Amino acid sequence: MDRRDFVGTCSCCGAMALLGSALRAAQGWTPPPRIPRPSPKTDEGGLWALMDREEERLRQSSFLVRDAAISAYVHAITCRLAQAHCPDVRTYVVRSPYFNANMAPNGMMQVWTGLILRAENEAQLAAVIGHEVGHYMARHSVERLRDAKSRTAFAHVLGLVPVAGTLAGLGVLAGAFAYSRNHERVADQIGLELMAAAGYPPLEASKVWTNLLAELQAEKDWTGDASTRSLLFATHPTEKERQTKLEAAARALGRSDLDPRAPALRQATAPWRQVWLEDELRRRKFGESLALLDRLTAADPQDGQAAYFLGEAYRLRASDGDGERALAAYQKAAGLPGVPPEVHRALGVLYRKTGRLPEMREAFGRYLAARPDAEDAEMIRSYLTEGG
Amino acid sequence: MNLKPALLVALLASLVLLTGCTKPATWVGVTPGELVVCERLAVRIDGAWSRLEGTQQPKHDVWTSEGMPLDQLHFYTGLAEGEAFVPVKDRPADKPIPRFRKDMQAQDVVEMYEAFASRDGSVFKLEKLSPAKFADESGFRFEFSRVRKGDEVRTRGVAYGAIHRGELFLMVYEAPRIHYFTKHLPQVEAIAQSARPREKG
Ligand SMILES: [Zn+2]
């Protein structure tokens, strides 16, 4: 599931009519038996072979996160959800700051770091993984393969791969799996069932939605961009309805007493959070980033790292008044636990610009004391000696 | 890493698209000796370089020694307040593109370049930033490494920059970490040492 998958890209706007039957079908649902490897002679077998090649490529990719701890953590969540299917699924954590996860029919599962960063607790991460496992268990990709509309897309992909080699991004393949709206609803429902069975409160799934929609809206508000993704809301009013339906289905399942496991996620991601937040700001989607950082700082006002990156987001956005907002955020962050030493560099740079030299020297001094071998230490030292 | 012909063609095609010219840009050999880049930056060269002609970017020149995309030397000559490394207009889609401000410090310029160099999802890492003379100014020098998103080639880069009379002058050399970077580094350093700004004619 990339965000397009999760939010829904299909043009089948009459799909709402199908919703009732889809949910009814899913509610009487029990996990299917493990999926055997299809014969290479079948169309499904061909699809698996294609995915096996993609998986080999992914294994070699420098964007694959090879840290054993974080990979094991995410894979364990997959396994809790996939139950008996666990041995058939491989979980790959991919360094990319976008909200994205997807599952190939051969059991290759990708979880992108931008998605993990956005999860407020383990249950929210499980919600997205559960949705993907839902597509896998229901073998939606095979249905797509045999669907006349997507056959062209697959043919395109199959034809493209041998020619362009490394240029054929996984996104191209993901595009071929633009599931139907009905498939999305079934995967949503299966995901909720799997969450509950694995001990996660299903209602967290709808919170993923709420947060995502808020970020997209914030981005639209900032850029004033009426194109691309914001068009999603203009042309697909049913997206909000899907959120409502998901929430209703989650409430129907109950189990709100279950622990969403927020500390577990926080602990597992702690060594990576700074890098992921840096990656996040490089997207330069400041509407989305500020919505995310507002959420993080509100969730834990003592979180120095989130407070620092809130300042970074304002500084980089550089709209009217953002300089003051950044300064205020940095000053607050500087007194909080967990703040990276870069906050003192950020303060020093702002003080230097405004000619507040004593404060500049103190801030840069604190930065250099913490990071004497920083990559920019020589540059900073030159600021300390200028102006006598 | 050996580059497949199809990949080379695709990268070149994307370069031509990036530079936004209407007729195909062509590589032309640069005659060694003194020359002035984009009428704004005088440099002295002694190696074999080619420059891309027909890009229709008045403040940006791109050179190569080994051939694109193996190595590339970019000159940004006199970016003014509000300009960027790519042509920008006043439209929503351009809003996130970082623009030059004349009160920028070395860190800000590095960050602006980083945003440009990682806009396709490439991973950029600043390795070193230090003060350096460039274009008759107390400027800066930085080194970086990058993993290109398209082909995952690991590159190294070195850049010299300075703000001269409110305008940004920056030269950036980038080549694969293995072999090419160190091979051409001395030449690139010599070009940087020779660089002198020319006032607008
Ligand atoms: Zn989906």
Side-chain angles (χ1 to χ4, degrees):
Chain A
M1 170 178 81
D2 64 12
R3 170 148 67 197
R4 295 191 321 164
D5 172 3
F6 195 56
V7 178
T9 47
C10 69
S11 51
C12 43
C13 292
M16 285 308 291
L18 296 168
L19 175 64
S21 61
L23 287 188
R24 270 195 305 280
Q27 262 153 11
W29 180 88
T30 46
R34 285 173 63 180
I35 300 167
R37 191 176 179 88
S39 157
K41 288 175 189 146
T42 62
D43 54 353
E44 190 181 4
L47 186 59
W48 278 51
L50 176 68
M51 291 305 148
D52 288 346
R53 287 209 300 275
E54 280 303 303
E55 187 165 351
E56 193 43 49
R57 198 164 74 77
L58 179 61
R59 281 207 194 96
Q60 317 271 326
S61 172
S62 47
F63 293 89
L64 179 66
V65 176
R66 291 181 169 79
D67 177 69
I70 191 72
S71 305
Y73 173 73
V74 180
H75 186 64
I77 298 170
T78 308
C79 275
R80 284 175 82 172
L81 294 157
Q83 304 168 28
H85 293 260
C86 171
D88 302 326
V89 177
R90 283 86 53 212
T91 310
Y92 298 97
V93 177
V94 176
R95 181 178 172 183
S96 177
Y98 296 88
F99 182 101
N100 191 345
N102 60 58
M103 167 83 94
N106 68 344
M108 163 181 67
M109 163 116 185
Q110 287 188 53
V111 178
W112 289 18
T113 52
L115 163 62
I116 308 175
L117 174 67
R118 283 173 162 74
E120 295 177 295
N121 49 50
E122 198 176 294
Q124 292 187 3
L125 183 53
V128 180
I129 295 175
H131 172 100
E132 290 307 319
V133 172
H135 280 308
Y136 171 79
M137 286 181 172
R139 297 166 83 174
H140 285 158
S141 60
V142 181
E143 284 182 38
R144 291 299 286 163
L145 182 66
R146 290 170 186 163
D147 173 75
K149 257 197 261 178
S150 58
R151 204 172 293 144
T152 329
F154 276 110
H156 176 66
V157 168
L158 288 162
L160 184 71
V161 169
V163 180
T166 54
L167 274 185
L170 290 167
V172 179
L173 283 164
F177 291 105
Y179 294 114
S180 72
R181 194 154 287 221
N182 193 41
H183 282 162
E184 288 311 315
R185 291 182 210 290
V186 172
D188 276 351
Q189 187 63 36
I190 296 175
L192 293 177
E193 305 264 2
L194 295 178
M195 280 179 80
Y200 296 112
L203 198 56
E204 291 298 322
S206 65
K207 293 183 189 165
V208 177
W209 262 99
T210 309
N211 291 338
L212 190 59
L213 292 174
E215 280 189 33
L216 294 175
Q217 186 62 47
E219 183 66 20
K220 183 187 166 192
D221 291 346
W222 174 58
T223 59
D225 194 349
S227 67
T228 58
R229 276 172 303 164
S230 50
L231 199 67
L232 216 63
F233 300 108
T235 58
H236 291 82
T238 52
E239 292 308 332
K240 298 238 171 186
E241 281 185 61
R242 185 177 160 200
Q243 178 190 15
T244 315
K245 297 281 180 195
L246 187 69
E247 188 176 334
R251 284 194 196 283
L253 275 172
R255 314 296 309 271
S256 58
D257 56 308
L258 293 170
D259 177 11
R261 295 174 56 85
L265 181 85
R266 182 86 180 257
Q267 195 188 348
T269 56
W272 293 98
R273 203 159 167 253
Q274 175 147 349
V275 174
W276 295 349
L277 284 166
E278 286 166 1
D279 286 350
E280 167 65 21
L281 292 183
R282 287 192 190 102
R283 295 169 60 217
R284 303 191 68 84
K285 296 272 181 194
F286 296 119
E288 292 179 21
S289 296
L290 281 166
L292 168 66
L293 288 160
D294 279 340
R295 189 151 55 71
L296 293 180
T297 49
D300 181 1
Q302 293 302 302
D303 181 345
Q305 191 180 50
Y308 163 69
F309 279 99
L310 180 66
E312 287 285 273
Y314 281 127
R315 178 178 67 80
L316 291 165
R317 186 175 72 167
S319 293
D320 282 348
D322 279 348
E324 290 76 19
R325 292 186 192 100
L327 181 62
Y330 292 141
Q331 284 171 334
K332 179 161 182 275
L336 293 177
V339 70
E342 284 77 15
V343 74
H344 302 298
R345 174 180 65 189
L347 282 167
V349 167
L350 289 182
Y351 292 142
R352 183 168 181 259
K353 271 183 192 166
T354 47
R356 294 162 70 173
L357 297 187
E359 286 137 306
M360 175 200 86
R361 289 194 189 99
E362 203 220 317
F364 280 147
R366 290 180 73 177
Y367 171 62
L368 289 173
R371 299 270 319 270
D373 302 320
E375 60 284 350
D376 56 357
E378 270 188 52
M379 198 77 222
I380 302 286
R381 281 194 192 96
S382 77
Y383 296 153
L384 288 176
T385 55
E386 71 190 6
Chain B
M1 168 172 277
N2 56 343
L3 293 159
K4 296 182 179 73
L7 179 61
L8 276 166
V9 169
L11 283 166
L12 280 172
S14 69
L15 175 83
V16 171
L17 284 174
L18 267 178
T19 51
C21 50
T22 46
K23 58 182 176 195
T26 48
W27 292 99
V28 177
V30 182
T31 316
E34 285 273 358
L35 74 143
V36 184
V37 182
C38 297
E39 303 178 1
R40 294 302 309 281
L41 192 70
V43 295
R44 161 167 285 281
I45 60 157
D46 57 8
W49 293 89
S50 301
R51 67 177 288 271
L52 192 60
E53 224 158 65
T55 64
Q56 298 180 358
Q57 285 193 37
K59 297 180 176 181
H60 175 216
D61 224 18
V62 51
W63 297 12
T64 182
S65 187
E66 299 284 343
M68 291 284 263
L70 272 184
D71 72 332
Q72 40 196 300
L73 176 61
H74 294 263
F75 295 92
Y76 298 93
T77 53
L79 293 194
E81 177 92 6
E83 291 183 334
F85 291 126
V86 290
V88 280
K89 288 182 183 151
D90 192 15
R91 55 186 177 193
D94 286 356
K95 211 166 170 180
I97 297 174
R99 293 150 194 253
F100 174 66
R101 306 279 168 223
K102 54 181 184 281
D103 72 343
M104 275 185 162
Q105 304 183 19
Q107 280 91 346
D108 301 322
V109 174
V110 171
E111 216 165 51
M112 182 179 159
Y113 185 75
E114 173 179 348
F116 171 69
S118 57
R119 68 198 181 287
D120 62 349
S122 297
V123 173
F124 177 101
K125 185 174 181 296
L126 175 67
E127 302 287 355
K128 189 174 164 60
L129 169 63
S130 46
K133 284 263 179 246
F134 182 64
D136 287 344
E137 296 286 342
S138 299
F140 52 90
R141 177 187 185 278
F142 64 92
E143 290 178 27
F144 61 92
S145 57
R146 195 160 78 107
V147 182
R148 287 200 302 234
K149 181 74 176 184
D151 51 16
E152 299 203 14
V153 169
R154 291 166 182 274
T155 65
R156 276 184 70 188
V158 62
Y160 279 85
I163 294 168
H164 174 75
R165 300 190 182 180
E167 292 180 327
L168 175 65
F169 289 78
L170 185 73
M171 74 172 254
V172 186
Y173 180 70
E174 186 177 6
R177 192 175 309 192
I178 296 165
H179 184 62
Y180 296 105
F181 181 80
T182 41
K183 178 180 170 189
H184 295 288
L185 185 60
Q187 268 197 51
V188 171
E189 294 284 356
I191 295 172
Q193 296 312 315
S194 74
R196 299 286 177 271
R198 289 279 175 90
E199 302 319 317
K200 270 179 272 194

